[in-house]
Amino acid sequence: MADELLDKNFVLQGNLDPAILLTTPDAVIRAADNILAMGAILPRGHIFNLGHGVLPATPVENIKTLVQHIHGG
C-alpha cells in the first residue's frame, strides 16, 4: 500500500470511481465501505473523495446516498 512507501506524516486520499455512482445505491454503499475500510487502518487518517468528479448521467439520488453514508447518516 502507498502508506508503506510514504513518510507516516502524510494523510492518504482514496478516490471512489465516479462510474460507481451510475449503478445502484447498494453498490455505491459497498464501494464506499471498501474505501472507508482501507482508510480506517491508516495511521494518519484518510480523505475520502470522488475521483474525477460527477459524471453528467449520475442519478442525484446516488450522490445523496453516498454523501449521507459517508457522513454516517
Side-chain angles (χ1 to χ4, degrees):
M1 267 176 90
D3 65 303
E4 296 168 354
L5 300 174
L6 296 173
D7 182 316
K8 298 298 181 198
N9 292 321
F10 289 95
V11 175
L12 294 180
Q13 174 176 306
N15 299 327
L16 178 71
D17 181 347
I20 295 295
L21 291 174
L22 298 172
T23 64
T24 66
D26 287 339
V28 170
I29 289 171
R30 280 193 307 275
D33 282 347
N34 286 337
I35 292 171
L36 291 172
M38 288 186 284
I41 64 171
L42 299 173
R44 294 281 182 180
H46 171 256
I47 299 167
F48 186 99
N49 76 325
L50 182 63
H52 309 302
V54 176
L55 300 171
T58 302
V60 173
E61 288 305 314
N62 285 353
I63 298 168
K64 289 179 182 179
T65 295
L66 175 64
V67 171
Q68 289 172 346
H69 186 68
I70 295 301
H71 287 277

